[in-house]
């Protein structure tokens, strides 16, 4: 499953990806992760296969706009809880994908 994480500039979420990749590997989950900023979203979604979108809490104000862009693509999209994001709680974040 290809999971896209979105934050405001694409920087802090890349730190979370390392933790998510490690946890997914330990759980034998075939997940790939990528992180981008909100400004790169339109180009990225046209050029890549995305199965799930997780929005970082710092970009939650963009959620409705992003949701409208993917509604016809049938890509689930959720906002990561700020507590889970701040703690880099990969287990809790991966559980959002159920």
């Amino acid at each position: 499953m290809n999971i896209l994480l979105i934050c405001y500039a694409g920087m802090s979420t890349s730190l979370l990806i390392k933790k998510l990749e490690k946890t997914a590997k330990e759980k034998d989950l075939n997940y790939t992760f990528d992180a981008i900023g909100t400004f790169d979203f339109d180009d990225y979604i046209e050029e890549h296969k995305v199965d799930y979108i997780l929005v970082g809490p710092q970009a939650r104000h963009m959620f409705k706009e992003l949701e409208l862009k993917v509604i016809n693509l049938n890509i689930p999209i959720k906002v990561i809880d700020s507590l889970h994001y701040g703690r880099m709680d990969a287990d809790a974040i991966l559980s959002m994908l159920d």
Side-chain angles (χ1 to χ4, degrees):
M1 179 166 26
N2 300 311
I3 302 158
L4 177 62
L5 283 82
I6 300 174
C7 69
Y8 192 70
M11 301 292 283
S12 60
T13 307
S14 62
L15 300 172
L16 178 59
I17 283 181
K18 292 189 186 305
K19 186 113 187 222
L20 289 167
E21 288 173 336
K22 180 180 182 231
T23 303
K25 185 175 180 179
E26 289 170 356
K27 295 178 177 274
D28 200 29
L29 299 171
N30 188 23
Y31 292 170
T32 60
F33 300 92
D34 202 0
I36 62 168
T38 55
F39 300 109
D40 299 320
F41 182 77
D42 292 335
D43 291 337
Y44 188 95
I45 206 75
E46 286 181 19
E47 298 171 7
H48 298 85
K49 181 183 183 319
V50 177
D51 298 307
Y52 215 104
I53 299 171
L54 297 175
V55 179
Q58 67 277 36
R60 85 173 47 246
H61 66 283
M62 299 283 296
F63 179 78
K64 285 292 180 194
E65 180 181 334
L66 297 170
E67 184 180 43
L68 287 173
K69 290 180 179 187
V70 299
I71 199 159
N72 291 332
L73 301 174
N74 294 320
I75 301 172
I77 181 170
K78 293 183 180 176
V79 175
I80 300 171
D81 181 274
S82 56
L83 184 62
H84 299 321
Y85 187 91
R87 291 182 177 170
M88 300 259 172
D89 187 342
D91 283 320
I93 294 168
L94 288 176
S95 72
M96 295 175 63
L97 303 174
D98 294 336

